[in-house]
Amino acid sequence: MLIKSRPDGIDLPLSSEITPRAIFESRRDFIRQLAVGSIAGTSLYEMANREAFAQTLGAQKMAATLNPAYALIEKKTAYKDATTYNNFYEFGTDKSEPAQTAGSLKTRPWTVTIEGEVKKPITLDIDSLIKLAPLEERIYRLRCVEGWSMVIPWIGYSLSNLIKKVEPTANARYIEFITLDDKKQMPGLRSPVLEWPYVEGLRLDEANHPLALLTFGMYGEVLPNQNGAPVRIALPWKYGFKSAKSIVKIRFVKDQPRTAWNSAAPREYGFYSNVNPEVDHPRWSQATERRIGEDGLFARKRKTLMFNGYSEVASLYSGMDLKKFF
Ligand SMILES: Nc1nc2c(c(=O)[nH]1)N[C@H]1C(S)=C(S)[C@@H](COP(=O)(O)O)O[C@H]1N2
Ligand SMILES: [Mo]
């Protein structure tokens, strides 16, 4: 993706390959603590999560109940990494830029308009949208098409709750997610790296899958702006770019919608973009991935799993050639 040439012809460096010293050093201390067993009676898992939370800087808390069906037993990505290593091109194409520039995004007041092929179109204030269904915490893997991955505790509820409320018509076969498009607040929009606004989409049955999470928070707090505040989608079985951030519009449509990365490079990014280790990106393999936080001494390549390990979605694609509909 970003390994793509920019319109100005400069190839973006893989800044992703460099681990900031502070992160590396805090990890080394953590490993050292583990070695001396300094915290007696604490499981490795708890300690790992304590490390993940240690970096939170007192953003606004968001209460949610962990949904045990999605309580993944994998070490969570450190909060610091999840909030400083971002893809959010509206705020710049470098991984470190969104954390520095997304402060300019005003997330209140904020409305989300639900329109198109629905019997009950509605514009909801973000705080009403948050209250539409009980908030759950779900720990999901996130696999970026670029070959890296994270484990993030999101807060939200199944998108199906909202879909039910607006009553899709018989014509509704796809759903579009449209990101805010405001040059005053999003400096990256001045660069024609993508066609703006950022639009992503799903088939309606995919959108109704319980895994599709309308997301308002992470790590027990409201979403930081760089992670897509005040509302984004999280689709853990698909490459990360399907999960549109800072959504202002959700539109129900008859035909497969235009989507940002598919329009930019249709041979590289398919409409479906399900995580699939057997379908390589034309310019790199998708068979393995690098888990963010496992760099340095502990560098190791993990095997990428079909549907990112979420095999429960397989029935959505039965009978489809996933090499063709990638
Ligand atoms: N509007 C918008 N949404 C976006 C993107 C973007 O550039 N703009 N990047 C996508 C990509 S490529 C990824 S991997 C994820 C990253 O989410 P995170 O920064 O919360 O980890 O957001 C996705 N959603
Ligand atoms: Mo991505």
Side-chain angles (χ1 to χ4, degrees):
M1 176 169 276
L2 332 202
I3 305 156
K4 183 184 166 77
S5 298
R6 300 194 307 195
D8 55 14
I10 300 167
D11 273 321
L12 294 171
L14 268 179
S15 60
S16 52
E17 299 303 331
I18 302 156
T19 308
R21 180 179 294 274
I23 295 171
F24 177 72
E25 284 179 354
S26 74
R27 180 150 295 103
R28 199 174 49 191
D29 288 341
F30 171 67
I31 300 294
R32 199 179 290 141
Q33 267 190 316
L34 265 189
V36 294
S38 58
I39 305 175
T42 306
S43 73
L44 235 170
Y45 175 62
E46 281 173 276
M47 285 195 65
N49 287 332
R50 202 170 290 178
E51 188 208 24
F53 282 97
Q55 304 278 6
T56 63
L57 295 171
Q60 202 189 320
K61 298 274 174 275
M62 182 171 260
T65 311
L66 177 66
N67 182 332
Y70 308 105
L72 192 66
I73 308 294
E74 273 178 52
K75 187 184 172 212
K76 288 172 200 161
T77 298
Y79 180 84
K80 182 96 196 284
D81 288 346
T83 56
T84 57
Y85 185 90
N86 301 104
N87 277 332
F88 198 167
Y89 277 20
E90 288 86 337
F91 292 101
T93 53
D94 197 273
K95 295 280 186 291
S96 62
E97 270 180 292
Q100 290 159 16
T101 62
S104 56
L105 181 67
K106 243 185 107 210
T107 59
R108 293 289 186 290
W110 187 282
T111 57
V112 179
T113 298
I114 296 116
E115 60 178 33
E117 292 290 348
V118 289
K119 291 182 198 128
K120 297 183 168 167
I122 189 170
T123 293
L124 279 166
D125 169 70
I126 185 66
D127 294 303
S128 315
L129 185 62
I130 291 173
K131 289 188 195 112
L132 197 85
L135 293 179
E136 297 173 21
E137 178 171 63
R138 298 186 185 188
I139 306 166
Y140 280 171
R141 288 182 214 98
L142 168 77
R143 170 62 156 85
C144 176
V145 75
E146 296 161 352
W148 52 264
S149 62
M150 298 191 187
V151 175
I152 301 183
W154 300 112
I155 297 172
Y157 53 73
S158 285
L159 176 65
S160 60
N161 290 294
L162 176 63
I163 296 177
K164 194 160 42 161
K165 187 177 160 73
V166 296
E167 298 180 21
T169 70
N171 288 330
R173 290 179 55 233
Y174 293 88
I175 180 169
E176 279 180 275
F177 305 97
I178 300 152
T179 295
L180 179 72
D181 178 13
D182 181 357
K183 281 197 187 62
K184 289 198 293 290
Q185 300 192 68
M186 298 171 137
L189 293 176
R190 287 181 224 123
S191 318
V193 260
L194 289 169
E195 249 177 74
W196 311 113
Y198 194 100
V199 177
E200 260 310 330
L202 297 171
R203 237 172 35 200
L204 192 58
D205 59 337
E206 297 181 297
N208 264 317
H209 193 281
L211 272 175
L213 191 73
L214 196 63
T215 303
F216 308 98
M218 62 194 276
Y219 297 86
E221 299 174 349
V222 301
L223 281 176
N225 291 352
Q226 62 268 36
N227 293 89
V231 57
R232 66 173 296 164
I233 193 87
L235 307 162
W237 73 99
K238 292 181 179 279
Y239 290 118
F241 68 86
K242 295 295 291 180
S243 296
K245 294 175 166 179
S246 304
I247 294 167
V248 290
K249 215 173 264 184
I250 297 177
R251 190 183 291 141
F252 291 72
V253 294
K254 223 170 125 182
D255 301 310
Q256 185 177 303
R258 166 191 95 77
T259 55
W261 280 100
N262 180 245
S263 310
R267 287 179 42 259
E268 303 192 4
Y269 311 105
F271 173 78
Y272 285 93
S273 286
N274 292 314
V275 175
N276 188 342
E278 285 161 27
V279 177
D280 286 338
H281 186 280
R283 292 182 281 131
W284 58 86
S285 163
Q286 294 292 25
T288 61
E289 64 200 54
R290 188 173 60 90
R291 181 65 53 84
I292 299 298
E294 290 181 342
D295 326 68
L297 271 176
F298 299 91
R300 87 167 173 261
K301 277 276 183 188
R302 287 176 174 258
K303 273 198 156 57
T304 289
L305 304 172
M306 186 65 202
F307 300 122
N308 205 20
Y310 298 92
S311 53
E312 63 261 51
V313 300
S315 61
L316 291 171
Y317 310 105
S318 52
M320 280 175 71
D321 178 353
L322 297 181
K323 291 203 159 82
K324 189 167 165 219
F325 298 99
F326 62 89

